Amino acid sequence: MTATTDARKLAYIAGQAADARVNVELETEGMTLNIGPQHPATHGTLRIIVRLDGERVIAAEPVMGYMHRGYEKLTEVRTYPQITTLVNRIDWLGSFANEVPFILAAERLMEVEAPPRAQWIRTALFELSRIANVVLFLGDMGVQLGAITPVFFAFRDREFVLNQIEAVTGGRFHPNFDRIGGLKDDLPKGWIDETRGVLDRIRTFCDEMEDLVAGNEIFQARTRGIGVIPADVGLSYGLSGANIRASGVDWDLRRDSEMGLVHRELDWKVWTHPDGDSFARYWVRLQEVREACTIVGQCLDGIPSGPVMAKVPRIIKVPAGEAYVETENPLGIMGYYIVSKGELVPYRVKIRSASFNNVSITPWLLKGVYVPDVISILASLYFILGDIDR
Amino acid sequence: MDPVDDVEAPAVDAARDDLVATLAEALGDGLVASEVQPGVDVWVRVAADSWLAAGVALRDRCGMSYFNFLSAIDWQPSPFGRDMDAQVDGPEANDPGPMEWGTTGGETRFQLLARVHNPATGLGVTVKADLPGDRPEVDSWIPAYAGADWHEREAWEMFGIDFRGHPNQVHLYLPGAFEGNPLRKDYPLLARRIKPWPGIVDVELMPGDGDDESGDDGEGDDA
Amino acid sequence: MGLVENGKLPKPLTALLNVSRKYSLWVYQWGLACCAIEMGAAFGSPRYDVMRLGVIPFPASPRQADLVVVSGTVTDKMAPAVKRLYEQMPDPKYVISMGSCANCGGPYWDSYSVTKGVDQIIPVDVYVPGCPPRPEALLEGIVLLQERIRSEDMGERRNGDPIVVS
């Protein structure tokens, strides 16, 4: 930056400060602004009511329920295989990842274990759905801040990932591929090599996003230091996934717990960022897509041979008991608490979805920020409405 | 956790046993029951009066700084059947039968269900507390975990459980005029009354299958 | 255009207007659930590229839109907003109901909080089935709607049956 622009910048700042003083002298009145329930900036049907004092938010209250479909009640009248169909649609960008914790919880109660090949393929699909999910975030975050192009890139490259998921499962969006005791089917011929090509494409996409979005001055100015979440606050609100890792908490269930997937046998890294601001959350997710590519690549190399389905009864009756299994899903921790009474249907399923907790911090987080930052903070928290409301 | 690992896991789980011991010391009689599945999970059941104290003790003495979720279970089976089969489950109320509780047992109709974690060790614990069926009321967990706010609103809306000291106990998901508590077992799904569920055929036995529990091709779910 | 609605336009002029309307459909994206992403893929992604059909997916408000795609689960809480949206649109207006949820409730057919079909609230011109429909299916629905618009007589609008993409 040259001296001239420096001087110009200083003059600009001084002018802004003078304006601000005028604002203080003027008596400002509180104003209520309603964003949503359908608004381009909330990517979904989230409605936020903010009280403003000038440009500053004094209180923000999200209003949810526009996508509440009553999952927990519906699971009480559906059999276990039918619930798999249903839970696909909680986080609709990474559908396969929704099935995994539910199936794992049912498997724990039934004391069956998927064969190794199924576990490896599950892991590969789990991470592919993470890519399909977070890639859209990487582009969409640009849109929220006024850059239209990245989302087209995201949609373009996401299609290739969806193709690979569709090739295995038959569904672009909602695979319904996981079964208690394994997987519905084996991989199609030639899939592994094709997927390697797609991973290269996604790596290129990540590089592009790093240049185009994360490296952009405007993007950095609008995200650095904005929406800072300290680690202890994040923990007490139950934030998870990249949101909590961006606050410096080194906790990833894929590495730190027995999930029933094979992440612990692979060589990859959990990324954290000390800042806890919007930029950190973007950056951590960017790295996580890269790591997901690494994980899928290693899965492709290491998939053992063998069956993909264990012996399970034809009619699934889960023995009485309670089990809670959670996995590190694209949006954060997703868990299912299953209460079974030994019947065809579960007695109660508590669905712990990541976005619900992640968004519950917004009243705290949005207090005192400026209106334009509301959008960038919400975008960086990254939620799926179905995952909030269920 | 896989069943194979269950076998390998030690029969004694020191970390989880310690946790229960710490809670017992902190709560005294407030800790009603506990169950440890070595290497898998741990449940504790506390008295409703000790609910908030349990939260504070978990946070301060056990390092459980991570709030995971809070919900409830209605242990009174529905008087209308399970709404699975319109032929069996009539619109008229039947005797729902006795209550059967799950892990760590229970005494009353409602059971609070919360889970917290220690992010440093990765240990998680499920906390339960019994609440009466006629007027369930309990202290709010917000002083212990700020994130309990929305979860308590959800539990209030879905089960009708009152949280003492909750600052904003209003509808979370449903429109303000909505009546009833959907997750209570006696709340019927009326759409099923009008139309029997076509999917019920999926879980009927195939002809000639008898009570074959072993499975032929391992495929459990396509007819 | 009062004349168009009255159906008192001379035939050649009607044909001209219909062709113009057909190729300049401003579509409002009312994305609600999973289908919203497939709609986004159809409208916003380079692979499906809806603009080649003469459909412009960027109106800033429903007041500028000719067509609305209701994609996803309509809940009882959302229903008043859907109705209001429809009332804000200027005539002649068209509605595409995308996905099983918007068509009939879909997998949530027995839920206590889901509206069993958006056609309970607003009239629907095209039903696109699927859960979610592929972007191609949505494009097919749009093409079929354009076919109808091309031969449409304003006087008889609303008397025809809705289109079901199959």
Side-chain angles (χ1 to χ4, degrees), chain A residues 314 337 347-348 352 357 390, chain B residues 43 68 71-72 151 185 220:
Chain A
R314 181 170 175 76
Y337 192 98
Y347 187 74
R348 164 111 171 85
R352 189 270 191 224
N357 281 33
R390 302 185 297 273
Chain B
W43 286 264
N68 202 338
S71 187
H151 291 259
K185 286 279 175 185

Side-chain angles (χ1 to χ4, degrees), chain B residues 114-216:
Chain B
R115 194 172 168 91
V116 289
H117 278 260
N118 183 339
T121 60
L123 216 61
V125 56
T126 307
V127 196
K128 293 177 163 188
D130 285 333
L131 296 177
D134 49 348
R135 204 178 142 68
E137 202 181 13
V138 73
D139 282 330
S140 167
W141 250 23
I142 296 177
Y145 295 98
D149 186 341
W150 285 14
H151 291 259
E152 287 176 354
R153 271 172 75 185
E154 187 187 4
W156 173 81
E157 179 172 59
M158 293 294 165
F159 291 95
I161 296 172
D162 255 322
F163 289 89
R164 282 190 295 263
H166 193 286
N168 184 26
Q169 204 158 258
V170 293
H171 278 292
L172 180 71
Y173 288 138
L174 300 166
F178 195 90
E179 285 175 11
N181 305 102
L183 277 182
R184 286 194 178 187
K185 286 279 175 185
D186 53 8
Y187 183 92
L189 288 172
L190 291 173
R192 282 177 177 262
R193 297 288 159 74
I194 301 158
K195 187 173 185 254
W197 188 19
I200 193 72
V201 294
D202 280 355
V203 293
E204 277 175 0
L205 291 178
M206 296 299 285
D209 262 6
D211 52 354
D212 175 22
E213 290 283 286
S214 64
D216 39 14

Side-chain angles (χ1 to χ4, degrees), chain A residues 37-270:
Chain A
Q38 229 285 350
H39 192 269
T42 58
H43 58 112
T45 52
L46 183 71
R47 176 178 171 205
I48 297 185
I49 299 168
V50 285
R51 291 277 306 160
L52 299 177
D53 179 18
E55 278 279 295
R56 202 174 271 276
V57 176
I58 47 178
E61 182 63 34
V63 181
M64 292 112 58
Y66 291 99
M67 202 30 61
H68 178 66
R69 294 156 291 181
Y71 266 86
E72 292 180 15
K73 186 74 175 179
L74 297 187
T75 53
E76 289 171 12
V77 290
R78 277 161 169 71
T79 62
Y80 287 86
Q82 286 163 342
I83 293 171
T84 326
T85 323
L86 207 61
V87 298
N88 267 180
R89 289 153 178 80
I90 293 179
D91 158 19
W92 47 67
L93 287 180
S95 297
F96 184 81
N98 294 326
E99 303 171 9
V100 173
F102 179 76
I103 293 290
L104 290 176
E107 282 180 355
R108 184 191 281 178
L109 280 172
M110 288 184 74
E111 300 190 347
V112 295
E113 190 191 5
R117 186 176 172 82
Q119 291 188 12
W120 281 78
I121 299 176
R122 258 183 206 173
T123 311
L125 288 172
F126 188 82
E127 293 299 326
L128 273 178
S129 62
R130 179 187 311 276
I131 295 173
N133 186 326
V134 182
V135 156
L136 204 54
F137 162 78
L138 296 177
D140 186 65
M141 180 90 178
V143 173
Q144 309 294 334
L145 298 177
I148 301 286
T149 319
V151 80
F152 294 122
F153 286 18
F155 267 120
R156 180 194 67 194
D157 288 337
R158 187 171 182 268
E159 287 292 331
F160 295 100
V161 182
L162 292 182
N163 279 354
Q164 292 314 103
I165 294 177
E166 187 183 10
V168 185
T169 65
R172 274 162 63 87
F173 256 55
H174 300 316
N176 191 19
F177 192 63
D178 223 345
R179 297 285 187 269
I180 293 172
L183 293 171
K184 179 178 173 292
D185 233 329
D186 212 330
L187 295 177
K189 254 187 193 159
W191 186 80
I192 290 181
D193 289 331
E194 268 181 38
T195 309
R196 286 213 179 85
V198 171
L199 292 181
D200 286 341
R201 205 173 254 281
I202 296 298
R203 289 196 187 98
T204 320
F205 169 80
C206 287
D207 295 343
E208 278 174 354
M209 286 300 117
E210 190 148 32
D211 274 356
L212 196 66
V213 182
N216 183 312
E217 257 181 56
I218 301 170
F219 181 82
Q220 294 204 5
R222 290 201 56 188
T223 52
R224 285 225 190 241
I226 304 293
V228 178
I229 303 175
D232 57 332
V233 177
L235 287 172
S236 74
Y237 275 97
L239 260 60
S240 53
N243 290 327
I244 197 73
R245 284 193 286 279
S247 296
V249 179
D250 190 10
W251 185 35
D252 191 320
L253 289 179
R254 289 176 288 172
R255 182 196 59 194
D256 298 336
S257 86
E258 291 279 354
M259 292 206 311
L261 300 176
V262 295
H263 288 98
R264 295 179 123 193
E265 298 169 30
L266 308 173
D267 177 28
W268 56 285
K269 182 169 158 43
V270 175

Side-chain angles (χ1 to χ4, degrees), chain B residues 158 172-173 182 189 191-192 197, chain C residues 77 109-113 116:
Chain B
M158 293 294 165
L172 180 71
Y173 288 138
L189 288 172
R192 282 177 177 262
W197 188 19
Chain C
K77 196 170 181 179
W109 65 279
D110 51 351
S111 169
Y112 54 85
S113 59
K116 318 294 183 293

Side-chain angles (χ1 to χ4, degrees), chain A residues 72 90-91 98 237-240 324 329 331-336 350-359 384-390, chain B residues 66 68-69 151 154 173:
Chain A
E72 292 180 15
I90 293 179
D91 158 19
N98 294 326
Y237 275 97
L239 260 60
S240 53
Y324 177 71
N329 274 34
L331 296 164
I333 292 174
M334 175 167 222
Y336 293 85
K350 163 67 192 167
I351 302 170
R352 189 270 191 224
S353 60
S355 297
F356 183 70
N357 281 33
N358 288 351
V359 173
I384 302 283
L385 255 293
D387 203 38
I388 301 178
D389 290 346
R390 302 185 297 273
Chain B
Y66 183 79
N68 202 338
F69 67 79
H151 291 259
E154 187 187 4
Y173 288 138

